[in-house]
Amino acid sequence: LTWSWPTWSPDGEWVAGFAVESSDDRAGPVQVVAQRVDGAEEVLWFESTGSMPIYMQWHPDGSALAVLSQRGKELNLSVVSKARLGMARPVEAGVPLFFSWTPNGARLIVHASDGSGAQGRLVLRDPLGSAEDVVYELRPGSFCAPVFVGAEAIWCTPDDGGSLVYASNPEGTRGRPLVNRKGLLALAPAPKGGRLLAISNATRGEGSPYHGIDLVDLADGSLRSLTRMECLAFFWSPTGDWLLLAQVVSEENCLRWWKVPIDGSPPIDVGTFWPTRDVVFYLHFFDQYTTSHPLVSANGQHIVFAGYPA
């Protein structure tokens, strides 16, 4: 079996991933498999053919997995669960497609488009289909994955030629504006219990570097600049006292890790590396992956990634 995109369950007892059995002339169906970390149990949750696995995210209580896959040019989001092994319930389709579970796991907030270049949509959806959709009245702006900080949903809506970062209730009906930025925005909430939100914007849109990082205190709405460094991606440490930045080093054709403390201390050069293809993909869509596939170890002492020292 060839494994990809492993991710820890919320209780740390399981690791789920995609598995494919391949030979020299063919590849078998894609399996969604969960294994106990002690090796005592392995469960096949679902198996599909004709689609390419991209991403999965655990339900907050570990009872289900939201799975994103690609069939042809279309992205498909479905939910598989322990209670109904072998079954996948379709949730949404579109290009692009980003999502997040609500904190209680009752619904998914989905940011998707139909691939035609038309304005996308933000929908709060019950993956079991037992409750009606809540479609956000405000259109989504230029951003990727919606996130949650406590009970507040954080997303973006168009405003004055840019995008307004907005904090609202999960239904999007009551909220407050935070900050306006031009270009493509990325949102990264501090670890559980924190009230800080890291924000950056790529002024030239997708594929261009992000210009600096600002920290918004969601308790009082205050804003401060953390760094003006350009970066490809950024992540919180689990301890919440520093961020990890990935920066392109064009003259050496590689990437550099930077540790940036939030107390204003100087950034620390952690080292350069050549990433694998999967890591490049991860960094491109980091705002979706970072909450479920963290690169920094739980104690904040190590970075775990695939690549080669430069």
Side-chain angles (χ1 to χ4, degrees), residues 13 36 48 134 216 306:
E13 297 294 325
R36 279 195 179 276
S48 68
V134 176
V216 179

Side-chain angles (χ1 to χ4, degrees), residues 143-295:
F143 80 112
C144 294
V147 297
F148 279 89
V149 177
E152 285 191 306
I154 313 295
W155 44 285
C156 299
T157 187
D159 178 72
D160 192 27
S163 289
L164 181 67
V165 182
Y166 211 74
S168 75
N169 62 342
E171 295 78 18
T173 56
R174 299 188 309 275
R176 55 195 174 110
L178 296 175
V179 62
N180 181 301
R181 290 290 183 269
K182 308 290 185 182
L184 176 66
L185 276 68
L187 315 171
K192 290 182 179 179
R195 295 294 295 169
L196 291 178
L197 177 72
I199 298 174
S200 189
N201 61 306
T203 54
R204 296 193 300 276
E206 184 178 357
S208 63
Y210 289 92
H211 296 278
I213 297 174
D214 293 326
L215 297 181
V216 179
D217 189 329
L218 295 175
D220 58 16
S222 60
L223 175 73
R224 69 180 175 93
S225 173
L226 175 66
T227 178
R228 293 294 93 198
M229 296 172 65
E230 287 191 348
C231 63
L232 179 66
F234 55 95
F235 318 88
W236 282 94
S237 68
T239 52
D241 53 357
W242 54 273
L243 275 79
L244 177 70
L245 275 62
Q247 186 183 63
V248 175
V249 186
S250 53
E251 61 270 18
E252 298 177 28
N253 196 29
C254 65
L255 300 180
R256 172 173 281 118
W257 292 123
W258 288 95
K259 176 181 177 181
V260 182
I262 67 169
D263 64 2
S265 302
I268 299 169
D269 183 351
V270 180
T272 54
F273 69 104
W274 289 293
T276 64
R277 182 176 61 180
D278 281 349
V279 169
V280 171
F281 185 85
Y282 177 105
L283 295 175
H284 188 76
F285 297 106
F286 74 95
D287 34 6
Q288 176 72 78
Y289 277 88
T290 184
T291 55
S292 55
H293 294 68
L295 298 185

Side-chain angles (χ1 to χ4, degrees), residues 35-52:
Q35 292 183 322
R36 279 195 179 276
V37 294
D38 60 8
E41 189 177 0
E42 179 177 293
V43 180
L44 173 61
W45 284 41
F46 183 70
E47 184 175 272
S48 68
T49 58
S51 62
M52 180 178 69

